[in-house]
Amino acid sequence: MVLPIGLQAQQPSSKQWFKDKDLTLTGVYYYPEHWDESQWNRDFKKMHELGFEFTHFAEFAWAQLEPSEGKYDFAWLDRAVALAAKHDLKVVLCTSTATPPVWLSRKYPEILLRQEDGTVLDHGARQHASFASPLYRELSYKMIERLAEHYGNDARVIGWQLDNEPAVQFDYNPKAEMAFRDFLRNKYDNSIKALNDAWGTSFWSEVYTTFDEITLPKTRQMFMNHHQILDYRRFAAGVTNDFLNEQSLLIKKYAKNQWVTTNYIPNYDEGHIGGSKELDFVSYTRYMVYGDNEGIGRRGYRVGNPLRIAFANDFFRPIQGTYGVMELQPGQVNWGSINPQPLPGAVRLWLWSVFAGGSDFVCTYRYRQPLYGTEQYHYGIVGTDGVTVTPGGREYQEFISEVKMLRKEFSPRDKKPKDYVDRTTAILFNHENAWSIDRQKQNATWSTMGHIEKYYRTLKSFGAPVDFITEEKDFSQYPVLIAPAYQLADKDLVERWTNYVQNGGNLVLTCRTAQKDRFGRLFAAPFGSLINNLTGNSMDFYDLLLPKDPGVVEMAGKKYTWNTWGEILIPGKDSQVWATYAQEFYDGKPAVTFRKLGKGTITYIGVDSTDGSLEADILKKLYTTLNIPVMDLPYGVTMEYRNGFAIVLNYSDEPYEFTLPTGAKVLIGSAVIPTAGVLVYKI
Ligand code: GAL
């Protein structure tokens, strides 16, 4: 299944491709194969005039690149690349594995993806091939290798995007099942006993006698073994990651000074983002207006959720130190439940939101509105006539000229004020916690990502830089580390947390943490006790309430409601009790504790409040205790720094007056920031 490439990944720093002085590059998708070739020159000329610096080709063009098996045609793409270069546009190429040509699916139907209910996907759309099919990989690699050979040493091509929004497939293709068994044999060292122990198969006669009896778990079958599902999800994420790794290695055999990335959908708990180590960095796609999208106020659906881009920035950037945004909508989309026009200014606001997180490029989807096919109603930078610039196109033009103006004033990427850097906070994230909790929620109204967002939202109101990090990272560089609902843990992790605190770190752990081992089993010890020596507490019990009759927690005389999860704590001798339950038969018992340990502190928040206000007040109290100065930005206003610039964004439905620091030089906007407005000043 794995192609013998035999190459070591190079790990050049992103500085090799992206320069501080450029701040960010802006590009746009173009599909030469959709348009009459006589229009290409006109289109690239206009693209350049609007200020775009790169374009993006060949994403779904396998049928044009390899019209019949083994017969390649790159002549049309050569002409497109040359014309783009004539208009000063660099090119990002794509591997087009999301759309195999019809000859491939008809000749080799075994490559088709099979869904859990047995439906086999077919030609006529996209993303219907199985990443677990060795034959599909082989055919993909042949095409990719030819493409990389042809363009790898072409200075007009700056980078590569693999596939399109590669997802974890949950594919029931027979080849996936065989590969799953191999994955398990390998993981459990060929010991079926070890697998039976890990999956707890003594329960309900689920025991296996050989690996060959194991199938891909039917996730929709009631009560399916969730330990097995946990392993299946690990396997499935691994299949996608391997496919991308192998594509990347293949391209790097030929690529000279070209980067390789892919365009992930930021589905954080899907579990594969960050897992393909051979990518040079990760990129994401983001759509903001598509119907009901949690914006602020009556017209909020035209602006979008204020933290949707910020969260993606803070999740993607720490993975490899930089990131790009591969797709950002220029106007209406075609696939939402309702597809409204964005508010005038919103497209530019999103562009600045991407920039604020420290990105190296942003690319918009797409240049021209298609005249046929699934995405007919999707806006472009120009409309259906191919020449009239859309309102979103104008906002791109404005953003690009503003960036060019800022380039004259840039400083190094890391020039940021001390008070901002001092409040840097990490959120420890492992998608496996979400996988595990979501199969056994215990309270249908619990949301793992919603729980994490309550902390994130508060940190953004503090004006704090946030990094989502995984356990691979060194915790010690972060003054505060929050591990929300970190359900799956082991002694090693608890020891690392303890050392972090002992050495001066400030750790915040929240409810549901360390209750299970990495297989999803409870420990043969008092419930939740793995962290007792760290938190100083023990847990008496936990309670779950109905949303219509929430419980109350009290802190410093203020009351907060909760219902999804509440742990009733028994505090240790040196624990300070910060909040207590104010109802029920555990009235007065602790819900939140804090203690000093070694040179650091540990805060334990055993409850998940209804609206996040308790979490906000606890973090305020903690940062005050730690003497970390924070801001108090209203929801909808965010502020970040990069390259010596402060970027303040207003997603709220009213103007926001920002207090400029003395000496600030305003470069874009003004201190009163209107809805969808942007303020940039130099520090
Ligand atoms: C993205 C996808 C693109 C295009 C776009 C339309 O999810 O990656 O190929 O379909 O949606 O909004």
Side-chain angles (χ1 to χ4, degrees):
M1 174 153 143
V2 176
L3 199 79
I5 294 164
L7 279 182
Q8 287 297 311
Q10 345 148 342
Q11 294 280 334
S13 96
S14 67
K15 291 220 156 66
Q16 177 177 337
W17 303 296
F18 304 109
K19 309 275 179 256
D20 276 348
K21 72 173 175 51
D22 290 335
L23 299 176
T24 186
L25 304 176
T26 310
V28 58
Y29 277 67
Y30 190 81
Y31 295 89
E33 68 278 15
H34 294 185
W35 310 107
D36 193 299
E37 194 167 334
S38 64
Q39 297 174 348
W40 294 357
N41 188 55
R42 176 199 73 189
D43 290 350
F44 299 145
K45 183 167 179 286
K46 179 123 194 161
M47 227 181 246
H48 173 71
E49 282 164 8
L50 290 170
F52 288 100
E53 291 161 308
F54 69 92
T55 184
H56 181 295
F57 292 158
E59 188 180 36
F60 301 116
W62 194 342
Q64 287 81 8
L65 295 170
E66 191 181 357
S68 59
E69 190 169 0
K71 300 269 179 302
Y72 298 92
D73 177 9
F74 300 152
W76 63 275
L77 190 53
D78 287 344
R79 293 195 296 278
V81 171
L83 264 186
K86 181 179 143 199
H87 295 290
D88 222 8
L89 294 159
K90 295 285 184 193
V91 173
V92 174
L93 283 181
C94 193
T95 59
S96 80
T97 45
T99 48
V102 69
W103 60 257
L104 199 153
S105 303
R106 294 294 176 259
K107 184 167 175 198
Y108 308 108
E110 66 171 90
I111 65 107
L112 295 170
L113 192 143
R114 188 186 179 116
Q115 293 175 331
E116 184 171 341
D117 67 1
T119 306
V120 176
L121 299 188
D122 200 359
H123 188 80
R126 66 179 181 187
Q127 287 152 330
H128 48 282
S130 162
F131 295 167
S133 158
L135 182 61
Y136 186 64
R137 289 193 180 199
E138 193 185 318
L139 292 161
S140 299
Y141 298 152
K142 278 188 185 155
M143 178 268 295
I144 293 168
E145 182 148 21
R146 292 297 290 265
L147 204 60
E149 238 175 342
H150 194 85
Y151 293 106
N153 196 14
D154 187 333
R156 299 168 299 180
V157 174
I158 51 172
W160 296 77
Q161 174 206 309
L162 309 180
D163 201 80
N164 169 60
E165 292 186 331
V168 177
Q169 288 192 321
F170 304 112
D171 167 26
Y172 287 71
N173 183 304
K175 292 289 196 281
E177 193 153 273
M178 284 165 64
F180 182 49
R181 289 182 192 142
D182 286 344
F183 166 87
L184 296 170
R185 284 189 187 96
N186 185 39
K187 172 161 184 176
Y188 295 104
D189 262 341
N190 267 314
S191 159
I192 198 70
K193 178 175 180 317
L195 176 138
N196 281 315
D197 288 348
W199 290 7
T201 55
S202 318
F203 197 77
W204 288 354
S205 272
E206 286 168 13
V207 67
Y208 292 98
T209 50
T210 71
F211 283 90
D212 290 328
E213 293 161 347
I214 297 169
T215 48
L216 298 170
K218 304 295 173 292
T219 60
R220 288 188 217 137
Q221 183 173 332
M222 203 175 188
F223 302 137
M224 182 54 66
N225 183 315
H226 59 267
H227 309 284
Q228 180 180 359
I229 292 174
L230 196 57
D231 268 344
Y232 172 52
R233 295 198 66 151
R234 290 173 174 139
F235 158 77
V239 170
T240 299
N241 289 337
D242 288 351
F243 187 43
L244 298 175
N245 278 335
E246 289 168 9
Q247 289 200 22
S248 183
L249 286 174
L250 204 43
I251 290 171
K252 286 178 184 179
K253 260 172 85 172
Y254 305 94
K256 298 268 179 308
N257 202 24
Q258 295 169 338
W259 44 259
V260 182
T261 187
T262 187
N263 61 341
Y264 291 108
I265 304 177
N267 290 333
Y268 309 106
D269 51 355
E270 200 174 340
H272 61 321
I273 302 168
S276 285
K277 306 292 181 199
E278 305 302 342
L279 301 181
D280 293 312
F281 52 84
V282 285
S283 307
Y284 68 81
T285 65
R286 197 82 283 198
Y287 290 82
M288 295 293 287
V289 166
Y290 49 85
D292 189 5
N293 57 14
E294 301 156 353
I296 296 176
R298 189 167 152 248
R299 296 278 185 257
Y301 64 90
R302 294 199 192 278
V303 180
N305 178 324
L307 297 181
R308 192 171 156 83
I309 292 178
F311 197 116
N313 292 342
D314 293 342
F315 192 93
F316 277 69
R317 183 194 52 247
I319 295 173
Q320 276 144 306
T322 188
Y323 70 102
V325 173
M326 219 24 121
E327 295 178 23
L328 192 69
Q329 89 197 80
Q332 281 167 300
V333 296
N334 64 297
W335 46 261
S337 54
I338 296 169
N339 298 303
Q341 288 280 349
L343 196 75
V347 169
R348 174 172 165 268
L349 175 72
W350 306 329
L351 282 160
W352 282 107
S353 307
V354 168
F355 180 85
S359 58
D360 276 304
F361 67 83
V362 61
C363 186
T364 185
Y365 197 86
R366 48 187 289 148
Y367 185 68
R368 290 183 66 171
Q369 172 159 358
L371 303 182
Y372 51 80
T374 304
E375 294 176 346
Q376 280 175 313
Y377 287 88
H378 201 292
Y379 257 44
I381 292 296
V382 295
T384 43
D385 63 0
V387 291
T388 306
V389 181
T390 56
R394 294 274 168 233
E395 292 185 29
Y396 265 85
Q397 192 180 13
E398 190 180 348
F399 169 77
I400 296 168
S401 67
E402 287 168 339
V403 168
K404 288 183 178 162
M405 186 259 290
L406 289 192
R407 284 180 184 163
K408 296 182 191 134
E409 312 246 3
F410 86 98
S411 304
R413 178 69 57 98
D414 288 337
K415 184 167 178 213
K416 298 169 183 179
K418 181 172 183 314
D419 60 336
Y420 175 75
V421 174
D422 284 353
R423 47 185 185 253
T424 304
T425 303
I427 295 181
L428 189 65
F429 182 83
N430 181 350
H431 49 268
E432 295 187 355
N433 294 314
W435 294 353
S436 175
I437 293 175
D438 291 352
R439 285 304 296 192
Q440 278 203 322
K441 282 189 177 183
Q442 305 309 298
N443 185 334
T445 62
W446 165 273
S447 157
T448 306
M449 290 312 292
H451 178 73
I452 295 170
E453 276 164 19
K454 287 171 188 164
Y455 290 92
Y456 181 71
R457 175 171 165 162
T458 296
L459 295 170
K460 288 288 124 176
S461 78
F462 287 0
V466 177
D467 281 358
F468 284 89
I469 61 165
T470 61
E471 289 171 39
E472 289 168 16
K473 293 265 152 101
D474 172 17
F475 305 155
S476 70
Q477 56 179 307
Y478 296 99
V480 183
L481 173 68
I482 304 179
Y486 213 89
Q487 191 189 58
L488 304 185
D490 50 34
K491 282 192 178 140
D492 283 355
L493 177 61
V494 176
E495 204 177 300
R496 285 184 62 204
W497 283 340
T498 308
N499 289 338
Y500 165 75
V501 173
Q502 295 277 11
N503 292 319
N506 300 291
L507 180 66
V508 178
L509 297 180
T510 83
C511 58
R512 308 194 80 149
T513 289
Q515 294 175 352
K516 292 184 172 184
D517 69 14
R518 306 281 185 171
F519 301 108
R521 302 174 304 198
L522 299 172
F523 295 100
F527 189 85
S529 62
L530 196 68
I531 50 176
N532 284 0
N533 288 338
L534 174 57
T535 64
N537 304 320
S538 52
M539 190 200 302
D540 201 357
F541 57 92
Y542 60 87
D543 199 11
L544 313 166
L545 304 177
L546 305 182
K548 66 175 182 193
D549 186 22
V552 175
V553 170
E554 199 173 304
M555 182 167 83
K558 193 168 157 190
K559 292 189 162 51
Y560 308 83
T561 61
W562 70 279
N563 86 286
T564 56
W565 188 279
E567 289 164 13
I568 289 76
L569 308 172
I570 303 172
K573 276 203 262 0
D574 57 350
S575 302
Q576 298 174 24
V577 175
W578 277 12
T580 51
Y581 293 96
Q583 262 184 355
E584 296 294 331
F585 47 93
Y586 38 85
D587 190 353
K589 294 280 170 61
V592 180
T593 63
F594 167 88
R595 76 162 172 151
K596 293 189 172 145
L597 182 67
K599 295 183 194 147
T601 68
I602 160 91
T603 308
Y604 190 77
I605 306 173
V607 66
D608 174 56
S609 81
T610 312
D611 59 2
S613 55
L614 174 68
E615 289 81 347
D617 285 347
I618 293 166
L619 291 186
K620 278 181 200 156
K621 180 166 172 164
L622 177 65
Y623 284 64
T624 306
T625 308
L626 300 174
N627 287 318
I628 300 175
V630 298
M631 300 177 81
D632 188 16
L633 298 169
Y635 183 59
V637 178
T638 54
M639 168 170 198
E640 309 283 357
Y641 294 90
R642 63 173 283 178
N643 296 93
F645 303 117
I647 303 112
V648 194
L649 308 164
N650 186 7
Y651 278 79
S652 76
D653 57 349
E654 45 189 57
Y656 178 74
E657 180 160 5
F658 185 80
T659 313
L660 285 160
T662 33
K665 178 180 169 196
V666 173
L667 299 168
I668 294 170
S670 61
V672 178
I673 312 168
T675 298
V678 175
L679 163 68
V680 180
Y681 63 85
K682 199 170 168 177
I683 49 168

